[in-house]
Amino acid sequence: MAPTLPLDQIYLSEPDKKTGKAQQLPALHPSRKEDCYFVLYKPPPQDDMPALVEEFLERANFIASDLDWLLSLPHDKFWCQVVFDETLQKSLDSFLRYTPRQYDGLENSNPAIADMQKRLHRSVFMVFLRMSTHKESKEHFITPNVFGEIIYDGFLFDIPKIFDLCIIFGKGNTVLLKKMIGNIFNQQPNYFNDLNETVPTILQVYSSICEKCGLMWENHSNFPQKIDGQTKVSPMDMPLQEFKDILLYLCDTCTTLFAFLDIFPEASRIFQKHDYIQRLASFYEAIIPELENTIKQRRFEEIGLQSDLWRRLSHSRKKIIETFHHIINFKCLQPILENGSEHSLTFIEDFLQIFTALLHQKRFLTDYDEQFPVADDISLLQQAFPALDETRTSYIIKAVDSAWEASSRMKPTFSTGNSQISSKSAASQVSAVNGEMDQDLRQPEYEADDYGAGAAAAKITGIELESLISQVRDILPHLGEGFILECLEEYNYDAEKVINNILEDKIPPSLQKTDQSLPRKVKQDEETVLSMRRNVFDYDDFDVYNRNTVDLSKIWKGKKKGEDGKTLLDDKTHITQQRERYNAYRVIVENVPVDEAQFYGDDYDDEYDDTYDVNQIGANDVDSDDELISRRPFTIPRVLRQKEEVEYEEEAEEEVPKEEGLKRDQFVQDPALLRERAEARRATFCARKGIKRDNAAVAGTAKGQGQSKDTLTERRKKEANKSFRANHNRRSLADRKRNKGMIPTSF
């Protein structure tokens, strides 16, 4: 019996399509490819519009039928079609790119679409499974090295395709997928080099996410840092769509990497060559708290969007921590279990160095210790190597406990898992810890809480309990306080875990039956001896028995420190206190309307004093002349006047005697004469201006006879204007005083 040749060495006699003559061709030749066009895949529609559903079903039916025809081809025909048909590769790539992932939550309610998706899912997986197998049977196989060249040079598989295969087909196909990926890497070692070049790109993805969120990340890559990106936008300020894209990008990246490492754990060595787990922990420390605070504080208009984003972020957290544990488990823990204590010292040292370098990542340490207790791993190391340095291990454990205290979260109590870990083999341990690709995203394994833990925990009351309830209600305001209180008791008073499990709908069955709007039960306080006591200091500022809060600014230890000079000068509170007082002086009312009858009364008996009315005070005052009086009056030129007017003016001038000037030997002028002159000038001025000067109106009639309206008006004017000039113009008033004869003109 002749030996069976591999497909790459077989030559077949095929007729020429042009001449019809027989010719010897290799089994893998482009001319042996069948003419078939594979259509591209499009994702299922989100709504149930009949036209869209019909279009999707028709397109998907074409793809599924073509793939079924491809799988029915014999070995040589199948590989000719796979290697030389470009439309087939494009169709398969479109499915890997656009098919919904498990964590997307885009389940269509149409049963026809769901059945077609399952059919396509199976057909595509079977095609890739056959493409990754170089030996189907004893008669049908390909030389391993030639198989590696075919899949590598023909781009049948590459690193992104392998990542997509793991995330899409990992659920329920773990065993077959491990064989597929393992065979691809074993038959073509160049994929290891490609993976080694892919890891820096993954780290660059983490760096770009931090840059988008305006965060600084401890990136130790060899790439130079950008100095032009000065504008930083926080997640709270960025557009909503961009924030959603960042979360989806993060969730897709973390889930895909976890799926790949779960299927092919040998890749952990290549990842760790780039210090991947140290950078992953620093990335977790930088980005996760920022995104959590943004989801809690940001307002979302769409109903359910906040819970969906929180679910994706929680899923990303879980996958990052499990990816970290995958690499630690494969690099350190699994070799210790396999090799025993003889060759485990190197792996123990690697484990201790890794965790020692991560002690400052407090948030990451607490979340990792919550899933995979560090104390259990250290206990495993002590069992494998009894001579382990206790100083280093106790230092790590105390650092983890310190991280829990700094996070203000209660550390969960774990059952001692040392015997459980040590009794299992390495392979079974990996399977037990990580599960199979996290089959159900709605109930992650690491969050299957011990629901009875809350019973043994110390009960929290008072202000601390009110703070926890308000923390939950800030995120979920529709929940009743009674329901929140029961959830806190169930989850050991961990508010973050309560929020997370309610948003992801993972509360235990006992709470699912409880009304979420349940109000809080009001407990009637029983009278105690303390409540019945009476004291003179009840309800003062420091009565802690009747007050929940005390103003600590009024309490200090020792001598109270005074404020420094700068603080005292910067304090402008006294200006604010005085402002209201001085505002009252702003509005000045000059004329206040007064009711005459009410102000003066009908029985006004103030007799007018006319003792000095005859005296002409200030008659010769120069400064008292009005400006109009001191001017020379306008006169018509003599040549333009009429004869009678000229004669009349001359007679008037002759009648007015010329005033004699001040004599030099006159020491003081007669005041009576001065007053007469002033009165004459004043009378002349009033007559020229038409001003009525009637002092009789001020004097009025005799007392008891009543006063006229004019008398009352004149008296009011005199009273209002008697201080018109006040004490201004002191120089001119001094001259006026001198002219009145109060002081001598010369000494």
Side-chain angles (χ1 to χ4, degrees):
M1 183 176 180
T4 305
L5 296 176
L7 182 61
D8 54 282
Q9 298 179 9
I10 296 177
Y11 284 83
L12 301 175
S13 178
E14 292 286 340
D16 190 359
K17 294 182 179 181
K18 295 182 179 180
T19 62
K21 294 182 179 180
Q23 54 181 351
Q24 293 292 325
L25 297 176
L28 293 176
H29 194 270
S31 61
R32 302 191 68 229
K33 176 181 71 71
E34 298 291 339
D35 293 334
C36 181
Y37 183 82
F38 292 85
V39 297
L40 300 179
Y41 171 83
K42 289 186 178 181
Q46 298 299 320
D47 48 7
D48 293 335
M49 292 181 60
L52 297 177
V53 173
E54 182 180 359
E55 180 186 0
F56 170 77
L57 293 177
E58 184 179 5
R59 178 182 291 271
N61 187 40
F62 284 148
I63 298 175
S65 300
D66 292 341
L67 294 181
D68 293 340
W69 167 81
L70 178 66
L71 292 172
S72 64
L73 294 177
H75 186 253
D76 56 338
K77 287 286 188 179
F78 172 82
W79 277 102
C80 287
Q81 202 72 28
V82 167
V83 174
F84 302 113
D85 193 346
E86 295 182 358
T87 62
L88 171 62
Q89 297 303 323
K90 292 181 180 180
S91 179
L92 295 175
D93 290 346
S94 64
F95 181 84
L96 296 179
R97 181 178 180 183
Y98 294 113
T99 187
R101 271 51 172 172
Q102 303 164 9
Y103 51 83
D104 288 339
L106 301 177
E107 298 180 1
N108 199 293
S109 58
N110 195 323
I113 293 179
D115 294 341
M116 183 57 69
Q117 275 291 111
K118 292 180 181 178
R119 181 185 173 188
L120 278 176
H121 191 275
R122 180 184 181 281
S123 300
V124 173
F125 177 71
M126 294 303 297
V127 170
F128 278 108
L129 179 62
R130 192 173 181 183
M131 288 168 54
S132 63
T133 305
H134 70 283
K135 186 177 181 180
E136 295 184 2
S137 63
K138 295 181 179 180
E139 293 81 14
H140 303 98
F141 62 94
I142 304 175
T143 306
N145 56 352
V146 177
F147 171 77
E149 294 177 0
I150 291 175
I151 62 175
Y152 190 79
D153 297 338
F155 295 96
L156 301 185
F157 292 97
D158 52 27
I159 298 301
K161 281 186 181 180
I162 294 173
F163 284 174
D164 290 337
L165 289 173
C166 293
I167 188 61
I168 295 173
F169 303 108
K171 182 179 179 180
N173 304 298
T174 307
V175 178
L176 291 176
L177 204 56
K178 285 183 177 181
K179 292 181 179 180
M180 286 174 54
I181 306 301
N183 188 54
I184 291 172
F185 277 89
N186 291 334
Q187 303 304 330
Q188 182 52 267
N190 289 333
Y191 284 112
F192 285 101
N193 299 331
D194 294 348
L195 181 61
N196 187 42
E197 296 176 358
T198 304
V199 176
T201 305
I202 298 173
L203 296 175
Q204 191 64 28
V205 168
Y206 295 155
S207 179
S208 64
I209 292 176
C210 289
E211 289 178 3
K212 288 287 186 181
C213 296
L215 301 174
M216 295 297 295
W217 179 44
E218 300 176 5
N219 188 7
H220 307 283
S221 62
N222 297 325
F223 297 104
Q225 297 293 328
K226 296 181 180 179
I227 60 175
D228 56 345
Q230 299 296 331
T231 57
K232 296 181 179 180
V233 180
S234 64
M236 287 291 297
D237 300 330
M238 67 175 54
L240 178 60
Q241 186 60 43
E242 185 177 355
F243 180 70
K244 290 168 58 178
D245 293 342
I246 289 177
L247 272 178
L248 295 176
Y249 192 30
L250 176 64
C251 183
D252 182 72
T253 303
C254 299
T255 309
T256 302
L257 289 177
F258 166 76
F260 173 69
L261 291 175
D262 187 40
I263 298 299
F264 190 61
E266 289 81 2
S268 301
R269 294 191 182 93
I270 297 179
F271 275 81
Q272 193 53 24
K273 287 181 181 179
H274 301 268
D275 295 333
Y276 179 77
I277 56 176
Q278 288 87 344
R279 300 181 186 181
L280 185 65
S282 63
F283 171 74
Y284 185 97
E285 187 78 13
I287 197 67
I288 295 300
E290 184 71 19
L291 295 180
E292 284 183 348
N293 294 333
T294 303
I295 295 177
K296 291 178 181 179
Q297 299 175 8
R298 187 160 184 165
R299 297 186 178 275
F300 300 91
E301 297 180 357
E302 300 181 18
I303 301 176
L305 179 59
Q306 185 182 33
S307 60
D308 180 66
L309 295 179
W310 184 270
R311 180 179 64 87
R312 292 179 184 276
L313 181 60
S314 301
H315 184 69
S316 303
R317 287 177 48 201
K318 170 180 179 293
K319 295 307 175 184
I320 290 176
I321 293 176
E322 290 185 347
T323 300
F324 182 92
H325 184 72
H326 258 303
I327 300 176
I328 286 287
N329 192 69
F330 184 83
K331 286 277 297 178
C332 304
L333 301 180
Q334 184 175 340
I336 293 174
L337 294 175
E338 292 177 350
N339 300 328
S341 60
E342 298 180 358
H343 307 285
S344 60
L345 186 59
T346 304
F347 305 109
I348 293 175
E349 185 66 24
D350 292 342
F351 179 88
L352 296 178
Q353 286 183 359
I354 289 173
F355 274 92
T356 303
L358 298 179
L359 293 182
H360 65 286
Q361 313 286 358
K362 296 185 180 298
R363 173 61 189 275
F364 177 81
L365 274 182
T366 54
D367 291 351
Y368 179 84
D369 188 65
E370 186 177 10
Q371 285 185 247
F372 309 102
V374 179
D376 289 351
D377 294 339
I378 293 179
S379 177
L380 176 64
L381 300 182
Q382 292 174 345
Q383 294 178 13
F385 190 76
L388 187 63
D389 187 3
E390 294 185 0
T391 305
R392 299 180 65 183
T393 57
S394 61
Y395 177 72
I396 293 175
I397 293 176
K398 289 181 180 179
V400 174
D401 295 339
S402 175
W404 275 105
E405 294 177 359
S407 65
S408 68
R409 293 163 53 193
M410 299 185 65
K411 183 178 180 180
T413 56
F414 301 99
S415 59
T416 56
N418 300 332
S419 59
Q420 182 181 3
I421 296 177
S422 60
S423 62
K424 297 181 181 180
S425 61
S428 62
Q429 183 189 8
V430 175
S431 176
V433 172
N434 301 301
E436 293 198 2
M437 276 295 298
D438 185 27
Q439 307 293 342
D440 188 3
L441 294 179
R442 298 182 63 82
Q443 184 65 26
E445 296 176 5
Y446 84 103
E447 291 176 349
D449 305 290
D450 183 8
Y451 296 123
K459 193 169 183 179
I460 298 177
T461 57
I463 300 175
E464 189 174 359
L465 180 60
E466 296 295 334
S467 176
L468 293 175
I469 294 176
S470 62
Q471 183 178 351
V472 177
R473 293 206 68 185
D474 289 342
I475 308 300
L476 305 168
H478 64 281
L479 299 180
E481 292 188 2
F483 178 76
I484 295 175
L485 184 59
E486 293 186 8
C487 293
L488 289 172
E489 294 175 354
E490 193 73 23
Y491 288 101
N492 200 11
Y493 295 96
D494 191 344
E496 292 186 2
K497 190 176 292 184
V498 170
I499 295 171
N500 185 41
N501 290 339
I502 291 177
L503 290 175
E504 296 186 2
D505 196 14
K506 295 184 300 185
I507 56 178
S510 59
L511 292 176
Q512 291 179 355
K513 299 178 182 179
T514 307
D515 184 13
Q516 293 191 355
S517 60
L518 180 67
R520 190 175 179 181
K521 296 181 180 179
V522 180
K523 294 183 179 180
Q524 296 181 355
D525 297 333
E526 299 179 357
E527 286 193 0
T528 60
V529 177
L530 185 62
S531 63
M532 296 173 62
R533 96 198 210 303
R534 295 293 179 268
N535 195 284
V536 294
F537 299 107
D538 285 346
Y539 303 101
D540 65 355
D541 293 341
F542 305 103
D543 186 7
V544 295
Y545 298 108
N546 295 317
R547 291 178 178 271
N548 294 329
T549 58
V550 177
D551 187 4
L552 298 180
S553 63
K554 299 180 180 180
I555 303 174
W556 60 86
K557 185 178 180 181
K559 187 176 181 181
K560 185 178 180 181
K561 296 181 180 179
E563 299 180 351
D564 56 347
K566 187 176 185 305
T567 306
L568 188 62
L569 291 175
D570 292 341
D571 186 12
K572 305 300 182 184
T573 55
H574 63 283
I575 297 178
T576 307
Q577 297 173 357
Q578 297 294 333
R579 182 171 295 160
E580 184 177 356
R581 174 182 297 178
Y582 286 99
N583 283 340
Y585 297 98
R586 284 187 177 181
V587 181
I588 301 175
V589 181
E590 296 183 355
N591 297 324
V592 180
V594 179
D595 188 3
E596 297 178 359
Q598 181 179 0
F599 185 77
Y600 292 104
D602 296 335
D603 53 348
Y604 179 74
D605 57 353
D606 187 7
E607 184 177 356
Y608 179 72
D609 186 7
D610 56 354
T611 305
Y612 301 100
D613 284 351
V614 182
N615 300 331
Q616 297 182 3
I617 300 174
N620 296 329
D621 292 348
V622 179
D623 56 346
S624 65
D625 292 344
D626 191 271
E627 184 180 2
L628 297 176
I629 302 175
S630 61
R631 290 181 181 180
R632 182 179 179 181
F634 177 77
T635 57
I636 301 174
R638 186 179 296 272
V639 294
L640 299 179
R641 295 182 189 176
Q642 298 294 334
K643 183 177 180 180
E644 296 178 358
E645 294 180 1
V646 174
E647 293 177 356
Y648 176 78
E649 185 176 358
E650 290 177 353
E651 293 176 359
E653 290 179 356
E654 291 176 357
E655 292 177 359
V656 178
K658 186 177 181 180
E659 293 182 1
E660 297 181 0
L662 183 64
K663 298 180 179 180
R664 296 179 60 86
D665 58 349
Q666 188 176 4
F667 179 74
V668 177
Q669 289 184 332
D670 185 6
L673 182 60
L674 294 177
R675 285 194 292 270
E676 290 178 359
R677 292 176 181 175
E679 183 64 24
R681 287 196 300 272
R682 195 176 298 111
T684 303
F685 173 76
C686 293
R688 187 181 302 168
K689 295 295 182 180
I691 300 175
K692 182 180 179 181
R693 298 180 69 255
D694 188 5
N695 291 332
V698 177
T701 59
K703 182 178 179 181
Q705 298 180 5
Q707 305 297 333
S708 65
K709 185 176 180 181
D710 294 339
T711 301
L712 296 177
T713 303
E714 293 297 331
R715 287 179 179 179
R716 186 168 63 251
K717 288 182 180 180
K718 180 180 179 181
E719 180 70 20
N721 299 322
K722 66 182 180 180
S723 60
F724 179 76
R725 292 188 179 275
N727 193 23
H728 308 300
N729 303 324
R730 293 185 179 182
R731 186 184 299 275
S732 61
L733 292 177
D735 296 338
R736 179 182 179 185
K737 186 176 182 181
R738 179 177 57 78
N739 293 333
K740 287 182 178 180
M742 299 299 295
I743 59 176
T745 57
S746 62
F747 293 94

